[in-house]
Amino acid sequence: MKPQPIDQTIKKNKEWTEAVVLEEIKKWHEAGKPLFSHYMRKHYQELLAAAVRYFGNWGKAVEAAGLSYDEIRRYKAWSKEKIIQMIQQLYRQGTDLSFRSMMLGEYAPMVYAAIRPNYFGSWKNALLAAGLAPQDIYRYKSWKNENILEEIRRLYKEGADLSSKQMEKNASSLIAIARRRFGSWSSAIEQAGLDYDKIRNRKRWSKEQIIQGIRSLKEKGISLTSTKVREVNPALFAAACKKRFFGSWKKAVENALS
């Protein structure tokens, strides 16, 4: 019979003891590798055999190492579709989806399933399959709270729609980390010094309203340069530049003054 492959980082002919078995199980777990028996039989048969010899069966050895084997075995309940749906749900809730955080939490069995070769092969690939950009997750994760608030203020000044619905479409990574850090998106908005009630109930623009807004600025003697309008009425500027209206500030002004 062809011998089963053993992880290349493991020394053969290891001097096994109960303590060594437990230490190896913990190392394997901390490295983010699956601990269910079928996987161990293929990738670290030597450890599996030693565990059975000293503890009676693999499950008891895992439990002796301080881990819950019931949770480890739960990987069987996961499918690719369920993993993707759960990742997306956790992301919307602002959960920290970094590999380390997930492995230390209640969703470790899902991660075990996700990184299986016949599923996604790695946690990064699972995130990509769920439509997420891993680099964005880690980018915002490293930000301090004040950096997040500054980003919210910057978007507001540029006339971005900061309603939760639009942010989930246009800046899902930012709204996710803000919810995690501040408890909710509305709290983050308030912490940034903005009125979320006004943002949530923001004006619904039409071409006619945009034209009226531009003419009103002119009547008040306010310069119609893009820089000035961004400063005094960012919402008007942003609406005018949308493709469904005029596509650019210049075209909006031309239509309003023609």
Side-chain angles (χ1 to χ4, degrees):
M1 181 181 292
K2 186 177 179 180
Q4 296 291 348
I6 299 176
D7 190 277
Q8 295 301 314
T9 62
I10 306 303
K11 293 182 179 180
K12 297 181 180 179
N13 303 318
K14 182 184 288 291
E15 295 291 336
W16 291 104
T17 65
E18 287 188 9
V20 172
V21 169
L22 299 179
E23 181 183 357
E24 288 299 313
I25 291 174
K26 292 174 183 177
K27 285 182 179 179
W28 197 262
H29 177 67
E30 290 172 359
K33 297 179 180 180
L35 277 171
F36 46 90
S37 59
H38 178 69
Y39 186 89
M40 299 305 295
R41 189 172 294 111
K42 290 183 63 178
H43 297 275
Y44 201 171
Q45 191 178 49
E46 187 181 7
L47 172 58
L48 178 64
V52 172
R53 183 164 66 250
Y54 285 106
F55 295 92
N57 62 55
W58 177 245
K60 289 181 179 179
V62 171
E63 295 285 346
L67 305 174
S68 171
Y69 194 55
D70 284 338
E71 289 191 3
I72 288 170
R73 290 190 302 179
R74 279 171 53 196
Y75 83 93
K76 295 179 181 178
W78 293 100
S79 65
K80 284 187 176 182
E81 293 73 21
K82 287 182 180 179
I83 290 171
I84 288 174
Q85 290 173 3
M86 180 55 69
I87 290 175
Q88 292 172 340
Q89 178 181 326
L90 293 174
Y91 187 72
R92 288 193 295 270
Q93 294 172 354
T95 303
D96 183 350
L97 290 174
S98 64
F99 181 78
R100 176 178 173 77
S101 177
M102 293 296 290
M103 287 300 295
L104 294 175
E106 63 180 297
Y107 293 100
M110 177 181 72
V111 180
Y112 281 126
I115 63 179
R116 291 171 65 195
N118 60 329
Y119 273 47
F120 300 104
S122 71
W123 184 238
K124 178 181 178 181
N125 288 340
L127 292 175
L128 290 170
L132 306 181
Q135 65 271 21
D136 285 348
I137 290 173
Y138 301 126
R139 171 193 172 201
Y140 287 113
K141 183 176 180 292
S142 65
W143 279 20
K144 295 180 179 179
N145 288 358
E146 186 54 36
N147 296 136
I148 295 170
L149 298 179
E150 288 176 359
E151 180 71 358
I152 291 173
R153 296 183 192 112
R154 182 187 70 78
L155 291 172
Y156 178 76
K157 288 180 180 179
E158 292 183 355
D161 185 342
L162 293 180
S163 63
S164 59
K165 182 178 180 180
Q166 283 302 121
M167 289 298 292
E168 285 171 356
K169 290 181 180 179
N170 303 327
S172 54
S173 297
L174 176 60
I175 192 173
I177 189 65
R179 282 170 170 164
R180 185 162 68 248
R181 297 285 184 83
F182 299 98
S184 68
W185 179 239
S186 59
S187 294
I189 292 292
E190 297 291 342
Q191 287 287 326
L194 305 175
D195 186 340
Y196 189 62
D197 285 336
K198 290 182 178 179
I199 288 172
R200 183 173 52 189
N201 299 316
R202 65 182 295 155
K203 184 176 183 179
R204 300 298 177 184
W205 293 96
S206 66
K207 281 191 174 183
E208 293 71 21
Q209 290 172 327
I210 293 171
I211 288 174
Q212 289 175 5
I214 293 173
R215 290 173 179 171
S216 176
L217 291 179
K218 183 175 176 60
E219 291 172 1
K220 294 176 182 178
I222 297 174
S223 171
L224 295 181
T225 62
S226 59
T227 301
K228 185 62 178 179
V229 176
R230 269 203 215 87
E231 178 185 336
V232 299
N233 197 334
L236 172 64
F237 180 84
C241 294
K242 288 183 177 179
K243 290 183 179 180
R244 70 173 183 271
F245 292 136
F246 298 101
S248 72
W249 179 246
K250 180 180 178 180
K251 289 183 178 179
V253 172
E254 289 175 349
N255 275 271
L257 302 183
S258 62

